[in-house]
Amino acid sequence: MLPDLLPIGSIKEVLAWYELNLCGAQIYDPRGNRVRFRPETLIHLVKLKTKYGGEPKNKRLALDQIRSGRIQFVAGRFDPERTEELPWAYEIARNPDFICRNWQALGKGGEAYVKYLCADGGPQIRVMNCEVIGTLREVITIFPRERTGEKELLAQIWP
């Protein structure tokens, strides 16, 4: 069962929720590896963009500006779907359907956690890429996927 979607209020409220519920939580995958969310990763997870269309270069400064109220959600400069789905990240990390080596040629991270979800629109897949640092898995990104293919299944490392 999926957690409820996160209501999109202000970006300041989303950041506070993210820091409390994901960054502040001790999350372990089924293999016993800790999965860590860093505050700076929120910028990429919600696809926050500057007025010039790029991701803020200095993510720590952007977080300070969010906390001060200087940066707000602006239509077209963030992804509402990915923002609402942030609570799903906990479930993806704790209960993935499978974990595989990252198959993306240009993708960052060593492992991909794949979760089949059933949401309002029917079955969906979410992939969470993580950098491997010993027994720590640091989240890089989460994105939707339409299907899994042979590449992913051949790279499977768990279960």
Side-chain angles (χ1 to χ4, degrees):
M1 180 141 192
L2 284 176
D4 291 336
L5 293 173
L6 183 65
I8 298 177
S10 71
I11 191 169
K12 189 175 183 177
E13 293 168 339
V14 169
L15 174 60
W17 181 92
Y18 175 77
E19 289 181 319
L20 177 68
N21 293 285
L22 293 176
C23 297
Q26 294 287 319
I27 304 170
Y28 292 89
D29 74 13
R31 302 168 299 172
N33 294 316
R34 177 151 183 248
V35 178
R36 178 172 68 185
F37 290 82
R38 296 177 52 85
E40 297 84 10
T41 306
L42 178 70
I43 304 298
H44 187 67
L45 291 177
V46 302
K47 294 183 99 172
L48 187 66
K49 303 286 183 208
T50 66
K51 62 184 175 182
Y52 304 107
E55 218 173 75
K57 299 256 186 250
N58 187 331
K59 290 178 177 55
R60 288 183 189 207
L61 177 61
L63 289 175
D64 289 342
Q65 291 176 336
I66 289 169
R67 289 183 188 104
S68 73
R70 189 156 175 232
I71 292 179
Q72 299 289 325
F73 277 140
V74 174
R77 289 202 217 153
F78 77 105
D79 187 322
E81 180 182 22
R82 285 174 56 153
T83 304
E84 289 175 330
E85 292 176 358
L86 283 172
W88 297 0
Y90 187 87
E91 186 66 20
I92 296 166
R94 297 232 340 133
N95 299 302
D97 288 302
F98 66 92
I99 301 170
C100 60
R101 285 182 212 79
N102 185 7
W103 66 86
Q104 297 175 305
L106 301 176
K108 290 176 84 178
E111 292 183 352
Y113 289 60
V114 180
K115 181 78 176 166
Y116 297 100
L117 307 166
C118 192
D120 293 340
Q124 299 179 19
I125 300 169
R126 293 297 179 269
V127 178
M128 181 172 73
N129 281 348
C130 296
E131 182 178 347
V132 177
I133 307 168
T135 60
L136 176 68
R137 302 301 182 264
E138 194 164 282
V139 175
I140 296 171
T141 191
I142 302 171
F143 58 91
R145 180 104 173 158
E146 288 185 23
R147 61 179 182 80
T148 53
E150 197 171 306
K151 277 191 219 176
E152 295 90 337
L153 297 175
L154 289 173
Q156 186 171 332
I157 55 178
W158 182 90

